[in-house]
C-alpha cells in the first residue's frame, strides 16, 4: 500500500506539470481511495480501460489521455457520465499527464519511442520534437519494416527523399504539424502518430520521408515507463492494459 498523495507528489516532482501550458489538467482528475495497492496504466481513459481496471482491482488508473479537455462540452452526461460514475462507484483514482509525459527525458513518450525503435542518441530538437540517428543507414523499406515490427502496426509512408535513412526526427501522437521542424533540420525522416491531408504534399516537396505510425501506437510506452517507476518507488503492483486503437 502507498498513499495516493505521496504518489501524486512524486509524479508531479518528476514531470513538473507547472512548466507546461496544456490542454487539460495534469495530475489527479478523479479522486478515489486514499491508499493505493494496484496501479493500472493505459493510453486513454476509455470505458474499455476502466472496465478492465475494475476487473483488475485497480486503486489508481494512470493515463496519457484523460478528461476535461479545453473546448469540450463541460456537462457531465452520456459517455462522460458513465465513465466518471464507474470510477467514483469503485473509488478509483484517475491520474493523467499529457504534455509533461510527452516531454520527460526518461519516462516521456518521445524518449521511450526512441528506445522501442532503436534510435540512438535521442535528444530534443525543438519544442516537443526529438531527433536521433540509426546505428547504420537503412533503406526506406527496411526502416518501414523496422517500425512495423517494433510497434506491431504498419505505418503509412508518404513523401520522398534519400534512398537511405540515417537521421530521424519524431514526435508522438498528433504531431504532423511539426513536420516543418524536421525539414528545417535537414533530417532524412520524420515519425509521428497521425497524418493530415497537407502532410503528404509537404513531405514530397520537402524531400523527407514521413511515417504516420499511429497515435495510440506511438504513445503506449511513456505511461508504462512512468507506471514502472511508480511501482518501483512505492512497492505497489503495476499492470499496463493495452486497449487497441487503430488510429
Amino acid at each position: 500500500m502507498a498513499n495516493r498523495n505521496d504518489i501524486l507528489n512524486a509524479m508531479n516532482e518528476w514531470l513538473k506539470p507547472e512548466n507546461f501550458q496544456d490542454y487539460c489538467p495534469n495530475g489527479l482528475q478523479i479522486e478515489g481511495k486514499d491508499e493505493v495497492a494496484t496501479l493500472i496504466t493505459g493510453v486513454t481513459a476509455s470505458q474499455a480501460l476502466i472496465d478492465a481496471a475494475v476487473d483488475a482491482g485497480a486503486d489508481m488508473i494512470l493515463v496519457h489521455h484523460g478528461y476535461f479537455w479545453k473546448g469540450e462540452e463541460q456537462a457531465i452526461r452520456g459517455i462522460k457520465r458513465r465513465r466518471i460514475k464507474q470510477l467514483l462507484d469503485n473509488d478509483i483514482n484517475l491520474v493523467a499527464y499529457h504534455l509533461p509525459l510527452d516531454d520527460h527525458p526518461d519516462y516521456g513518450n518521445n524518449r521511450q519511442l526512441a528506445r522501442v525503435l532503436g534510435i540512438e542518441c535521442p535528444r530534443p530538437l525543438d519544442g516537443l520534437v526529438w531527433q536521433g540517428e540509426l546505428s547504420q543507414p537503412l533503406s526506406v523499406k527496411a526502416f518501414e519494416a523496422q517500425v512495423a515490427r517494433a510497434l506491431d502496426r504498419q505505418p503509412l509512408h508518404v513523401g520522398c527523399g534519400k534512398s537511405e535513412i540515417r537521421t530521424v526526427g519524431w514526435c508522438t501522437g498528433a504531431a504532423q504539424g511539426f513536420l516543418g521542424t524536421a525539414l528545417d533540420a535537414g533530417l532524412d525522416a520524420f515519425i509521428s502518430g497521425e497524418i493530415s491531408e497537407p502532410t503528404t504534399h509537404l513531405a514530397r516537396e520537402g524531400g523527407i520521408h514521413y511515417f504516420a505510425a499511429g497515435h495510440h501506437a506511438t504513445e503506449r510506452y511513456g505511461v508504462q515507463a512512468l507506471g514502472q517507476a511508480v511501482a518501483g518507488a512505492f512497492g505497489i503492483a503495476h499492470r499496463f492494459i493495452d486497449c487497441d486503437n487503430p488510429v
Side-chain angles (χ1 to χ4, degrees):
M1 285 282 188
N3 181 266
R4 175 195 61 230
N5 292 335
D6 290 341
I7 295 174
L8 291 170
N9 288 337
M11 288 193 287
N12 286 331
E13 177 62 28
W14 297 341
L15 273 66
K16 303 190 184 308
E18 66 275 8
N19 294 338
F20 296 84
Q21 292 185 340
D22 213 332
Y23 316 105
C24 63
N26 286 290
L28 183 65
Q29 293 190 340
I30 305 292
E31 184 176 285
K33 60 190 68 174
D34 294 334
E35 298 298 316
V36 176
T38 300
L39 170 65
I40 295 297
T41 57
V43 177
T44 299
S46 64
Q47 188 66 59
L49 179 64
I50 296 171
D51 290 344
V54 169
D55 290 343
D59 305 304
M60 177 179 285
I61 301 174
L62 171 64
V63 296
H64 183 48
H65 302 137
Y67 303 152
F68 313 115
W69 298 90
K70 289 181 181 178
E72 76 174 23
E73 183 181 354
Q74 295 184 16
I76 299 176
R77 60 187 184 188
I79 291 173
K80 183 187 291 188
R81 176 188 179 277
R82 289 193 293 273
R83 291 173 173 180
I84 292 175
K85 183 177 186 301
Q86 189 170 11
L87 290 167
L88 293 173
D89 286 347
N90 289 278
D91 211 13
I92 297 175
N93 296 281
L94 176 67
V95 181
Y97 290 97
H98 187 231
L99 295 183
L101 185 57
D102 286 321
D103 193 55
H104 194 271
D106 297 315
Y107 311 132
N109 284 319
N110 282 328
R111 179 63 184 86
Q112 291 298 315
L113 184 64
R115 176 186 62 80
V116 171
L117 296 182
I119 300 173
E120 299 186 342
C121 300
R123 58 201 183 273
L125 171 60
D126 183 24
L128 293 174
V129 178
W130 281 47
Q131 67 175 346
E133 294 79 38
L134 304 180
S135 59
Q136 59 183 13
L138 292 177
S139 70
V140 177
K141 287 296 184 184
F143 182 68
E144 181 178 344
Q146 179 171 306
V147 173
R149 285 193 302 271
L151 301 184
D152 194 26
R153 182 189 190 279
Q154 184 64 38
L156 173 63
H157 169 235
V158 301
C160 58
K162 297 178 181 178
S163 60
E164 291 187 325
I165 293 173
R166 179 66 181 269
T167 59
V168 183
W170 67 95
C171 185
T172 66
Q176 60 269 46
F178 295 144
L179 176 57
T181 301
L183 287 171
D184 291 343
L187 302 178
D188 301 332
F190 184 70
I191 304 168
S192 186
E194 297 187 23
I195 188 169
S196 298
E197 193 276 339
T199 313
T200 299
H201 306 293
L202 292 174
R204 288 173 178 169
E205 295 169 31
I208 192 171
H209 297 284
Y210 183 93
F211 297 91
H215 194 138
H216 176 89
T218 58
E219 296 196 326
R220 287 183 299 209
Y221 306 103
V223 73
Q224 293 185 63
L226 180 59
Q228 290 167 0
V230 169
F234 290 93
I236 61 175
H238 165 242
R239 176 184 166 197
F240 172 72
I241 296 177
D242 191 12
C243 298
D244 181 60
N245 187 331
V247 175

